[in-house]
Structures are given as C-alpha cells and as structure tokens.
Amino acid sequence: MNNIRSWTAEDEAIIATNTDATECKRCAVELGYWKDEYISYFVKHVDRKAPEINRGYYARVKAMEMFIHQFLERCGTQCQIINLGCGYDTLYWRLKDTTQAVSNFIELDFPSVTSKKCHIIKRNKQLLEKICKEDGEVIIRSGDLHSDGYHLLGCDLRCLGEVRRKLQAGGASPDAPALLLAECVLVYLRPDAALALLRHLAATFPRCVLLVYEQCNLGDKFGEIMVRNLSARGCPLAGEAHCREPAAQAERLRALGFEQARSWDMETVWRALPEDDRARVEALEMLDERELLLQLNTHYALTVATRGALFADLDLNS
C-alpha cells in the first residue's frame, strides 16, 4: 500500500470533487457571501449554484475561519498549518493579507492536484509574489513547490510512509503548535488508512487542533440518497461507516489519541454564527428549498479535536 502510484477511476472521481468545490466557492464569492480575491485564479467562469448550496458553503467557510482564528489567538503566528487534501484552497493567501500569516504552511493533495496548483501559482504574479520574499527562492519540482514558509506537496494520504516523508520535507515540526485541516478528505480514505493517519497526527503533534468537515448521519434515508448519488458519480465514500452522528465522530478522535473532541452538525454551526451575518446572507438570495437546506445541514458536521492545554477550551461559542 505504500507504493500506490497508478490512479483508479475512483481516484479520478475524488480528484474531480476539488473542481466542484472550487466552482461552488467561486459562485458564492461572486454573489457576495464572503470575500476571496484569489479564488478566481483557480477556476474561471462558473454556472450559478442553488441558494442552499451557496449558503451551505458559506457556513462551512465561516465555521472553519472561526476555529482558525481561535487557534491563532492562542498561539500567535509562530505555528504551522497543515492542510490535508488541500485542493485549490486559498487560505494561505487570505492569511497573508492579514496579520495572521503563520511561520509554516504545508499543503498536501494528490500529485495531479498539486501539479496544477503549482502551474496556476507560477503563471499568476498575484499568487507567486505572496509566497516569494524579496530575497527568497521558490523551487518547483515534480509537482512540489517549496518556498520560505509555504510548501505544496503531492502526496497519497493513504500511504502513511509517504505522508511522513512529505511532512518532513515541508518542515513540519512536533515542537510548534499545529493546525490540521481535513475538509471532505478522510471520508474518501479506507477506514484503516484514515485511522492510521489520524493516530500518526495525534502522536506527532502534542499541541495541535484538528478541524474535520465531512458528512454525518449517513444511516438515515437522506444519507442513503447522498451515498447513492456519490456512488453514481463513481465516487464511493470509503469511510461511510464512520460518518455517524457527530457525537460518535468526536468519540472516534478521542479514541485515536486526541485529548478533547467536540462535533456539531452544520445546522447547529449555522445558528451559532452571529445574527447579523446570518441576516446579511439570508438577504442575498431567496431560498425556496428550506427543508432541503435543513437536510443538508444535518448531514454535514464540523469536528474539532485537540491536544494540549492551550487548546482545551476551543468551542463553537468561544
């Protein structure tokens, strides 16, 4: 298993979910849900998405930002962020535009994804200049990019030996606080591979926060429809059995070595967002399918797992 190099049709379908997610994010940004000056470099024209999709992505992005800021408030910028299955995420550049740029930012994904992301970065000055200091150097080789404080690395997350090597190449340190991001990635790994990865992360970083966003409650009727739809696209959820109620997802992470873990479905997360923000977003588009949005929100969860006293009190309402 440590030598996977030929991609299957299922792998290609998983890789394609990056394009889908990026298109959805760009659509929501164009409609004013949130600001992202960099998303347009990674996907050009997009068709308008349904309002419930736009609102769902807004809740996802804002929930992740909420905990990213809580993490940075506690440890400052002398820390590291490791983005697992990063796709075309633009968080690195958005943080660079604030006072919250971190010491080291590592992104991992399939080599075909990182190669394309490298190519996009290289041909767009607005992206490249953010990762290249005046006296610094950017090295792009075989789909990997290395610079001072940013590393984009092709990696099969199912191969723990490869993950270890890539994290070492990216300068990951067990001594620095680590924020670990996993948005819709663990669910596509075989359970044994996901468990091995999570155990390794918990054992390697004694001061860390893990943010996991993925499906939950897949055992009911709506969940079964979600699973069938993804399977029909050639994208089965290898980790479906672990996508249970949020409390069970938190318990799994505690059993794997994280000291604290909390999990909420996205309907709970949505209601925890500031009332003014929710009112602004609700005014952007008419929403006819309120029941569908509720179903979607109750079938995705945000789970926060931590190690170290510094992060023990992270919570949705902090």
Side-chain angles (χ1 to χ4, degrees):
M1 190 63 190
N2 283 343
N3 294 306
I4 292 178
R5 282 297 177 272
S6 59
W7 309 121
T8 66
E10 288 182 8
D11 294 335
E12 295 296 342
I14 294 169
I15 290 167
T17 64
N18 167 54
T19 301
D20 294 341
T22 309
E23 289 178 351
C24 289
K25 288 177 181 178
R26 170 148 189 184
C27 175
V29 167
E30 287 181 345
L31 291 170
Y33 279 82
W34 71 91
K35 292 183 179 179
D36 185 338
E37 296 180 3
Y38 303 100
I39 193 76
S40 60
Y41 294 110
F42 295 99
V43 62
K44 300 307 178 184
H45 172 74
V46 295
D47 295 327
R48 185 162 180 158
K49 308 300 179 183
E52 59 271 14
I53 300 299
N54 295 326
R55 199 174 293 183
Y57 269 90
Y58 170 82
R60 169 180 172 175
V61 168
K62 288 301 166 183
M64 296 295 286
E65 286 183 354
M66 178 194 309
F67 283 99
I68 290 168
H69 293 320
Q70 286 189 44
F71 171 84
L72 293 173
E73 282 173 357
R74 284 161 175 76
C75 63
T77 58
Q78 296 303 306
C79 61
Q80 56 198 333
I81 294 178
I82 300 172
N83 196 349
L84 305 164
C86 61
Y88 292 161
D89 190 69
T90 62
L91 176 62
Y92 172 79
W93 290 274
R94 287 181 281 126
L95 287 178
K96 287 287 282 190
D97 285 342
T98 71
T99 59
Q100 297 181 310
V102 301
S103 300
N104 198 22
F105 199 111
I106 301 170
E107 298 200 292
L108 304 178
D109 209 324
F110 280 113
S112 62
V113 175
T114 60
S115 293
K116 290 175 184 176
K117 194 168 186 176
C118 282
H119 179 67
I120 293 168
I121 291 169
K122 187 167 67 170
R123 76 177 190 217
N124 287 284
K125 179 182 177 182
Q126 295 88 339
L127 298 174
L128 189 60
E129 66 184 7
K130 297 286 184 182
I131 66 173
C132 183
K133 297 177 182 177
E134 290 183 9
D135 57 347
E137 183 180 17
V138 176
I139 299 171
I140 299 177
R141 185 185 302 117
S142 302
D144 288 356
L145 183 154
H146 293 278
S147 68
D148 183 12
Y150 177 72
H151 304 271
L152 174 61
L153 309 172
C155 179
D156 188 336
L157 295 173
R158 297 167 296 190
C159 303
L160 187 54
E162 187 176 353
V163 172
R164 287 183 175 130
R165 290 191 297 274
K166 292 291 184 171
L167 288 177
Q168 184 177 16
S173 170
D175 300 323
L179 175 61
L180 314 168
L181 308 178
E183 294 186 63
C184 290
V185 58
L186 298 175
V187 69
Y188 294 116
L189 306 183
R190 289 192 335 266
D192 61 325
L195 295 177
L197 176 61
L198 290 166
R199 278 197 193 94
H200 173 69
L201 295 172
T204 301
F205 301 105
R207 291 182 296 161
C208 70
V209 175
L210 169 68
L211 302 183
V212 178
Y213 173 87
E214 62 187 15
Q215 294 88 341
C216 67
N217 295 322
L218 291 185
D220 64 16
K221 290 292 186 183
F222 190 85
E224 291 173 1
I225 292 170
M226 290 172 64
V227 172
R228 281 202 304 271
N229 287 344
L230 283 164
S231 294
R233 294 171 53 190
C235 197
L237 300 180
E240 173 191 346
H242 289 293
C243 294
R244 295 174 290 166
E245 63 275 13
Q249 299 200 23
E251 176 56 35
R252 175 174 75 141
L253 293 174
R254 285 192 292 270
L256 291 170
F258 292 92
E259 295 164 359
Q260 304 285 341
R262 300 176 177 89
S263 187
W264 311 269
D265 68 33
M266 291 305 293
E267 181 64 17
T268 303
V269 171
W270 167 254
R271 296 189 181 282
L273 297 176
E275 188 174 348
D276 289 350
D277 290 353
R278 286 186 282 129
R280 181 189 68 81
V281 166
E282 288 172 345
L284 290 175
E285 295 182 282
M286 289 289 293
L287 181 65
D288 295 327
E289 299 287 349
R290 290 190 177 275
E291 181 61 28
L292 176 57
L293 178 61
L294 177 62
Q295 292 275 33
L296 288 169
N297 278 347
T298 54
H299 286 83
Y300 281 90
L302 177 68
T303 306
V304 181
T306 66
R307 288 198 66 209
L310 185 62
F311 306 118
D313 63 340
L314 260 65
D315 203 348
L316 191 59
N317 298 309
S318 294

mmCIF file of all heavy atoms in Angstrom, residues 145-173:
data_model
loop_
_atom_site.group_PDB
_atom_site.id
_atom_site.type_symbol
_atom_site.label_atom_id
_atom_site.label_comp_id
_atom_site.label_asym_id
_atom_site.label_seq_id
_atom_site.Cartn_x
_atom_site.Cartn_y
_atom_site.Cartn_z
ATOM 1 N N LEU A 145 6.112 22.255 -4.588
ATOM 2 C CA LEU A 145 6.598 23.634 -4.511
ATOM 3 C C LEU A 145 7.132 23.876 -3.102
ATOM 4 O O LEU A 145 6.460 23.556 -2.118
ATOM 5 C CB LEU A 145 5.468 24.611 -4.842
ATOM 6 C CG LEU A 145 5.800 26.111 -4.872
ATOM 7 C CD1 LEU A 145 4.835 26.855 -5.799
ATOM 8 C CD2 LEU A 145 5.738 26.754 -3.469
ATOM 9 N N HIS A 146 8.340 24.438 -3.022
ATOM 10 C CA HIS A 146 8.938 24.779 -1.741
ATOM 11 C C HIS A 146 9.345 26.250 -1.754
ATOM 12 O O HIS A 146 9.968 26.722 -2.711
ATOM 13 C CB HIS A 146 10.187 23.935 -1.462
ATOM 14 C CG HIS A 146 9.897 22.483 -1.244
ATOM 15 N ND1 HIS A 146 9.464 21.984 -0.034
ATOM 16 C CD2 HIS A 146 9.971 21.418 -2.091
ATOM 17 C CE1 HIS A 146 9.292 20.667 -0.145
ATOM 18 N NE2 HIS A 146 9.594 20.305 -1.366
ATOM 19 N N SER A 147 8.977 26.964 -0.709
ATOM 20 C CA SER A 147 9.461 28.328 -0.516
ATOM 21 C C SER A 147 9.635 28.535 0.989
ATOM 22 O O SER A 147 9.385 27.623 1.777
ATOM 23 C CB SER A 147 8.475 29.353 -1.096
ATOM 24 O OG SER A 147 7.270 29.363 -0.340
ATOM 25 N N ASP A 148 10.053 29.712 1.360
ATOM 26 C CA ASP A 148 10.257 30.010 2.776
ATOM 27 C C ASP A 148 8.900 30.193 3.453
ATOM 28 O O ASP A 148 8.284 31.253 3.350
ATOM 29 C CB ASP A 148 11.107 31.275 2.921
ATOM 30 C CG ASP A 148 11.422 31.592 4.379
ATOM 31 O OD1 ASP A 148 11.183 30.714 5.229
ATOM 32 O OD2 ASP A 148 11.882 32.719 4.655
ATOM 33 N N GLY A 149 8.400 29.133 4.092
ATOM 34 C CA GLY A 149 7.139 29.239 4.816
ATOM 35 C C GLY A 149 5.927 28.717 4.096
ATOM 36 O O GLY A 149 4.810 28.763 4.632
ATOM 37 N N TYR A 150 6.098 28.178 2.868
ATOM 38 C CA TYR A 150 4.964 27.582 2.155
ATOM 39 C C TYR A 150 5.463 26.386 1.358
ATOM 40 O O TYR A 150 6.435 26.485 0.599
ATOM 41 C CB TYR A 150 4.300 28.587 1.218
ATOM 42 C CG TYR A 150 3.165 27.988 0.410
ATOM 43 C CD1 TYR A 150 1.956 27.659 1.008
ATOM 44 C CD2 TYR A 150 3.306 27.736 -0.959
ATOM 45 C CE1 TYR A 150 0.918 27.095 0.277
ATOM 46 C CE2 TYR A 150 2.278 27.174 -1.698
ATOM 47 C CZ TYR A 150 1.084 26.855 -1.074
ATOM 48 O OH TYR A 150 0.059 26.284 -1.801
ATOM 49 N N HIS A 151 4.769 25.255 1.531
ATOM 50 C CA HIS A 151 5.149 24.020 0.843
ATOM 51 C C HIS A 151 3.887 23.350 0.311
ATOM 52 O O HIS A 151 2.959 23.069 1.075
ATOM 53 C CB HIS A 151 5.884 23.083 1.800
ATOM 54 C CG HIS A 151 7.078 23.708 2.444
ATOM 55 N ND1 HIS A 151 8.330 23.672 1.881
ATOM 56 C CD2 HIS A 151 7.197 24.416 3.599
ATOM 57 C CE1 HIS A 151 9.184 24.322 2.667
ATOM 58 N NE2 HIS A 151 8.515 24.788 3.710
ATOM 59 N N LEU A 152 3.852 23.107 -0.987
ATOM 60 C CA LEU A 152 2.732 22.453 -1.659
ATOM 61 C C LEU A 152 3.252 21.122 -2.191
ATOM 62 O O LEU A 152 4.117 21.100 -3.079
ATOM 63 C CB LEU A 152 2.217 23.340 -2.797
ATOM 64 C CG LEU A 152 1.131 22.773 -3.707
ATOM 65 C CD1 LEU A 152 -0.131 22.435 -2.931
ATOM 66 C CD2 LEU A 152 0.816 23.778 -4.825
ATOM 67 N N LEU A 153 2.732 20.000 -1.651
ATOM 68 C CA LEU A 153 3.375 18.707 -1.864
ATOM 69 C C LEU A 153 2.391 17.660 -2.351
ATOM 70 O O LEU A 153 1.334 17.447 -1.741
ATOM 71 C CB LEU A 153 4.019 18.237 -0.557
ATOM 72 C CG LEU A 153 4.941 19.258 0.133
ATOM 73 C CD1 LEU A 153 5.360 18.766 1.504
ATOM 74 C CD2 LEU A 153 6.155 19.541 -0.737
ATOM 75 N N GLY A 154 2.745 16.986 -3.433
ATOM 76 C CA GLY A 154 1.944 15.884 -3.933
ATOM 77 C C GLY A 154 2.104 14.674 -3.042
ATOM 78 O O GLY A 154 3.229 14.274 -2.716
ATOM 79 N N CYS A 155 0.977 14.077 -2.639
ATOM 80 C CA CYS A 155 1.053 13.007 -1.644
ATOM 81 C C CYS A 155 -0.230 12.183 -1.670
ATOM 82 O O CYS A 155 -1.326 12.725 -1.800
ATOM 83 C CB CYS A 155 1.239 13.627 -0.256
ATOM 84 S SG CYS A 155 1.331 12.461 1.102
ATOM 85 N N ASP A 156 -0.083 10.863 -1.552
ATOM 86 C CA ASP A 156 -1.235 9.988 -1.392
ATOM 87 C C ASP A 156 -1.453 9.800 0.106
ATOM 88 O O ASP A 156 -0.661 9.144 0.786
ATOM 89 C CB ASP A 156 -0.970 8.647 -2.076
ATOM 90 C CG ASP A 156 -2.205 7.767 -2.124
ATOM 91 O OD1 ASP A 156 -3.099 7.957 -1.281
ATOM 92 O OD2 ASP A 156 -2.275 6.889 -3.006
ATOM 93 N N LEU A 157 -2.510 10.387 0.619
ATOM 94 C CA LEU A 157 -2.757 10.352 2.061
ATOM 95 C C LEU A 157 -3.042 8.951 2.586
ATOM 96 O O LEU A 157 -3.035 8.731 3.798
ATOM 97 C CB LEU A 157 -3.921 11.287 2.412
ATOM 98 C CG LEU A 157 -3.681 12.779 2.160
ATOM 99 C CD1 LEU A 157 -4.969 13.559 2.394
ATOM 100 C CD2 LEU A 157 -2.570 13.309 3.050
ATOM 101 N N ARG A 158 -3.269 7.998 1.689
ATOM 102 C CA ARG A 158 -3.482 6.615 2.108
ATOM 103 C C ARG A 158 -2.173 5.919 2.458
ATOM 104 O O ARG A 158 -2.187 4.827 3.025
ATOM 105 C CB ARG A 158 -4.201 5.841 0.991
ATOM 106 C CG ARG A 158 -5.583 6.365 0.678
ATOM 107 C CD ARG A 158 -6.122 5.802 -0.620
ATOM 108 N NE ARG A 158 -5.333 6.227 -1.770
ATOM 109 C CZ ARG A 158 -5.699 6.025 -3.039
ATOM 110 N NH1 ARG A 158 -6.840 5.401 -3.302
ATOM 111 N NH2 ARG A 158 -4.942 6.439 -4.024
ATOM 112 N N CYS A 159 -1.054 6.530 2.100
ATOM 113 C CA CYS A 159 0.262 5.932 2.316
ATOM 114 C C CYS A 159 0.967 6.678 3.440
ATOM 115 O O CYS A 159 1.545 7.750 3.222
ATOM 116 C CB CYS A 159 1.094 5.998 1.044
ATOM 117 S SG CYS A 159 0.308 5.212 -0.371
ATOM 118 N N LEU A 160 0.909 6.131 4.643
ATOM 119 C CA LEU A 160 1.425 6.855 5.807
ATOM 120 C C LEU A 160 2.918 7.137 5.686
ATOM 121 O O LEU A 160 3.382 8.208 6.086
ATOM 122 C CB LEU A 160 1.140 6.061 7.083
ATOM 123 C CG LEU A 160 1.473 6.770 8.402
ATOM 124 C CD1 LEU A 160 0.782 8.126 8.487
ATOM 125 C CD2 LEU A 160 1.091 5.887 9.581
ATOM 126 N N GLY A 161 3.673 6.214 5.114
ATOM 127 C CA GLY A 161 5.097 6.462 4.927
ATOM 128 C C GLY A 161 5.355 7.672 4.045
ATOM 129 O O GLY A 161 6.261 8.473 4.310
ATOM 130 N N GLU A 162 4.548 7.818 3.007
ATOM 131 C CA GLU A 162 4.685 8.967 2.118
ATOM 132 C C GLU A 162 4.284 10.256 2.830
ATOM 133 O O GLU A 162 4.935 11.294 2.666
ATOM 134 C CB GLU A 162 3.824 8.750 0.869
ATOM 135 C CG GLU A 162 4.026 9.809 -0.200
ATOM 136 C CD GLU A 162 3.243 9.524 -1.467
ATOM 137 O OE1 GLU A 162 2.640 8.430 -1.569
ATOM 138 O OE2 GLU A 162 3.211 10.404 -2.341
ATOM 139 N N VAL A 163 3.234 10.201 3.620
ATOM 140 C CA VAL A 163 2.813 11.371 4.398
ATOM 141 C C VAL A 163 3.943 11.829 5.311
ATOM 142 O O VAL A 163 4.268 13.018 5.383
ATOM 143 C CB VAL A 163 1.544 11.067 5.214
ATOM 144 C CG1 VAL A 163 1.224 12.227 6.160
ATOM 145 C CG2 VAL A 163 0.360 10.792 4.289
ATOM 146 N N ARG A 164 4.558 10.877 6.005
ATOM 147 C CA ARG A 164 5.669 11.216 6.904
ATOM 148 C C ARG A 164 6.798 11.916 6.145
ATOM 149 O O ARG A 164 7.340 12.923 6.595
ATOM 150 C CB ARG A 164 6.200 9.953 7.576
ATOM 151 C CG ARG A 164 5.302 9.366 8.659
ATOM 152 C CD ARG A 164 6.006 8.162 9.267
ATOM 153 N NE ARG A 164 5.276 7.602 10.388
ATOM 154 C CZ ARG A 164 4.987 6.318 10.515
ATOM 155 N NH1 ARG A 164 5.365 5.455 9.592
ATOM 156 N NH2 ARG A 164 4.348 5.880 11.581
ATOM 157 N N ARG A 165 7.167 11.340 4.993
ATOM 158 C CA ARG A 165 8.273 11.914 4.208
ATOM 159 C C ARG A 165 7.942 13.317 3.735
ATOM 160 O O ARG A 165 8.781 14.220 3.779
ATOM 161 C CB ARG A 165 8.598 11.012 3.021
ATOM 162 C CG ARG A 165 9.255 9.697 3.397
ATOM 163 C CD ARG A 165 9.801 8.982 2.174
ATOM 164 N NE ARG A 165 8.752 8.601 1.231
ATOM 165 C CZ ARG A 165 8.047 7.476 1.299
ATOM 166 N NH1 ARG A 165 8.272 6.618 2.301
ATOM 167 N NH2 ARG A 165 7.134 7.190 0.397
ATOM 168 N N LYS A 166 6.720 13.507 3.275
ATOM 169 C CA LYS A 166 6.334 14.819 2.753
ATOM 170 C C LYS A 166 6.260 15.868 3.861
ATOM 171 O O LYS A 166 6.671 17.015 3.681
ATOM 172 C CB LYS A 166 4.998 14.719 2.020
ATOM 173 C CG LYS A 166 5.070 13.906 0.726
ATOM 174 C CD LYS A 166 5.869 14.615 -0.353
ATOM 175 C CE LYS A 166 5.839 13.837 -1.662
ATOM 176 N NZ LYS A 166 6.416 14.572 -2.794
ATOM 177 N N LEU A 167 5.729 15.477 5.017
ATOM 178 C CA LEU A 167 5.681 16.424 6.129
ATOM 179 C C LEU A 167 7.093 16.819 6.562
ATOM 180 O O LEU A 167 7.362 17.991 6.857
ATOM 181 C CB LEU A 167 4.907 15.825 7.302
ATOM 182 C CG LEU A 167 3.391 15.696 7.115
ATOM 183 C CD1 LEU A 167 2.759 15.025 8.327
ATOM 184 C CD2 LEU A 167 2.754 17.059 6.869
ATOM 185 N N GLN A 168 8.002 15.852 6.570
ATOM 186 C CA GLN A 168 9.394 16.160 6.906
ATOM 187 C C GLN A 168 9.995 17.103 5.873
ATOM 188 O O GLN A 168 10.682 18.074 6.220
ATOM 189 C CB GLN A 168 10.211 14.875 6.982
ATOM 190 C CG GLN A 168 11.661 15.090 7.418
ATOM 191 C CD GLN A 168 12.421 13.788 7.552
ATOM 192 O OE1 GLN A 168 11.999 12.748 7.050
ATOM 193 N NE2 GLN A 168 13.554 13.829 8.231
ATOM 194 N N ALA A 169 9.719 16.842 4.580
ATOM 195 C CA ALA A 169 10.238 17.700 3.513
ATOM 196 C C ALA A 169 9.682 19.115 3.620
ATOM 197 O O ALA A 169 10.349 20.090 3.240
ATOM 198 C CB ALA A 169 9.899 17.101 2.149
ATOM 199 N N GLY A 170 8.451 19.221 4.137
ATOM 200 C CA GLY A 170 7.826 20.534 4.281
ATOM 201 C C GLY A 170 8.203 21.246 5.566
ATOM 202 O O GLY A 170 7.729 22.364 5.813
ATOM 203 N N GLY A 171 9.035 20.628 6.381
ATOM 204 C CA GLY A 171 9.496 21.283 7.605
ATOM 205 C C GLY A 171 8.530 21.208 8.762
ATOM 206 O O GLY A 171 8.616 22.007 9.704
ATOM 207 N N ALA A 172 7.598 20.247 8.734
ATOM 208 C CA ALA A 172 6.672 20.096 9.865
ATOM 209 C C ALA A 172 7.461 19.764 11.127
ATOM 210 O O ALA A 172 8.377 18.947 11.099
ATOM 211 C CB ALA A 172 5.658 18.997 9.577
ATOM 212 N N SER A 173 7.089 20.408 12.230
ATOM 213 C CA SER A 173 7.827 20.236 13.475
ATOM 214 C C SER A 173 6.894 19.829 14.607
ATOM 215 O O SER A 173 5.855 20.469 14.820
ATOM 216 C CB SER A 173 8.533 21.537 13.860
ATOM 217 O OG SER A 173 9.055 21.468 15.173
#
